[in-house]
Amino acid sequence: MTRIRELDALRGFAVCGIMLVNTWQHTEGPKNEWWVETFLQGRFYPIFSLLFGISFALVLESASRWVLLRRLLWLLVFGLIQRTWYPGEVLTYYAVFGIGVLLPVSFLSGGWPILVLGVAALAWGVWVGGGILIIPGLFLIGMALMELRPGRRWLLPGLVVSAAVSAVLTWIYPMTGQWWIYVTAGLAGAAAYSLLVLWARPRWLEPMGKMALTNYVSGTVVIALTAPMRWPVLAVAGATLVAQLLFSWWWLSRFRYGPLEWVWRMLTWWKRVENRPILRS
């Protein structure tokens, strides 16, 4: 599977945002960080879900559907283990929706039919309440985008439009109280953030994205341990993200895969995968 560095950076960006929002959600006591609710809440899991669909299509280029099924089943195991300390984990949903949606739809040919199906599924998910119900549609849209490969010329126009839509809907929502408007504002914000990162190409986020599973799981461990202590959200999330970024840079300067990514790969292929230090000239 060929890695796309811009997607690694975007995945790293999403991991950082998820850590910040999850810390805010699980902190004891009043949640008065209005800027999290306004600018961050509901903006990062959609990015992560879209990227999961893209990654599925990328893996499918070089692996069979049986391999992908094993990959998803082991992800389900990871999620069930993580649920023992973090009930809000998302890995089990990703695994179940991957098996129930991505695998069957992968038999369709062409990106446009998958895109239409994904947009319809996303619209249904938004209308019936959002949450985990938007994941299948985002999976399919990501898979379709990997097939269609839109060019970089769409980044800036898309950024302007999605940012404007997000701002308008975020402003309208308190006046209407309509939940679908709130969810749509979050999706438009996620699109704006995604297009901004893809345009800017922040390479310093790539290690975070390459070790997304390791960083996501370790972040929830930190949240579970610190939530009852009522520490400031920014202090917990900021310290964790700095530590994860430094560790990711250090680890990937010596090894090909992150710790959990390496275990996941070996379980998927059911054989030992070399993760030896990279030789330097």
Side-chain angles (χ1 to χ4, degrees), residues 1 5 17 22 59 62 77 89 92 139 163 176-177 209 229 275:
M1 180 182 72
R5 298 181 65 177
N22 281 355
V59 175
S62 58
V77 172
E89 60 80 28
T92 54
F139 277 6
T176 64
M229 300 178 186
N275 197 22

Side-chain angles (χ1 to χ4, degrees), residues 61-202:
E61 291 178 355
S62 58
S64 70
R65 291 177 178 84
W66 286 112
V67 171
L68 282 161
L69 176 60
R70 293 199 301 270
R71 181 177 172 87
L72 292 168
L73 288 174
W74 282 114
L75 185 65
L76 177 62
V77 172
F78 285 150
L80 293 174
I81 294 172
Q82 185 187 19
R83 185 164 290 204
T84 60
W85 74 82
Y86 190 73
E89 60 80 28
V90 76
L91 299 182
T92 54
Y93 298 110
Y94 277 29
V96 171
F97 287 136
I99 293 170
V101 176
L102 287 177
L103 278 175
V105 172
S106 68
F107 288 95
L108 290 178
S109 59
W112 286 108
I114 299 175
L115 181 62
V116 171
L117 187 60
V119 170
L122 180 61
W124 173 84
V126 170
W127 183 251
V128 298
I132 63 169
L133 297 178
I134 67 174
I135 293 176
L138 291 167
F139 277 6
L140 294 175
I141 292 173
M143 187 177 178
L145 290 177
M146 193 63 232
E147 296 282 343
L148 297 171
R149 307 283 181 110
R152 288 184 61 84
R153 68 182 183 277
W154 297 103
L155 292 181
L156 286 179
L159 170 59
V160 172
V161 171
S162 56
V165 170
S166 180
V168 170
L169 293 181
T170 300
W171 175 66
I172 290 176
Y173 169 67
M175 295 183 286
T176 64
Q178 295 293 319
W179 185 249
W180 70 268
I181 294 180
Y182 177 84
V183 177
T184 306
L187 290 170
Y193 287 152
S194 299
L195 294 168
L196 177 61
V197 172
L198 291 173
W199 174 76
R201 295 179 171 179

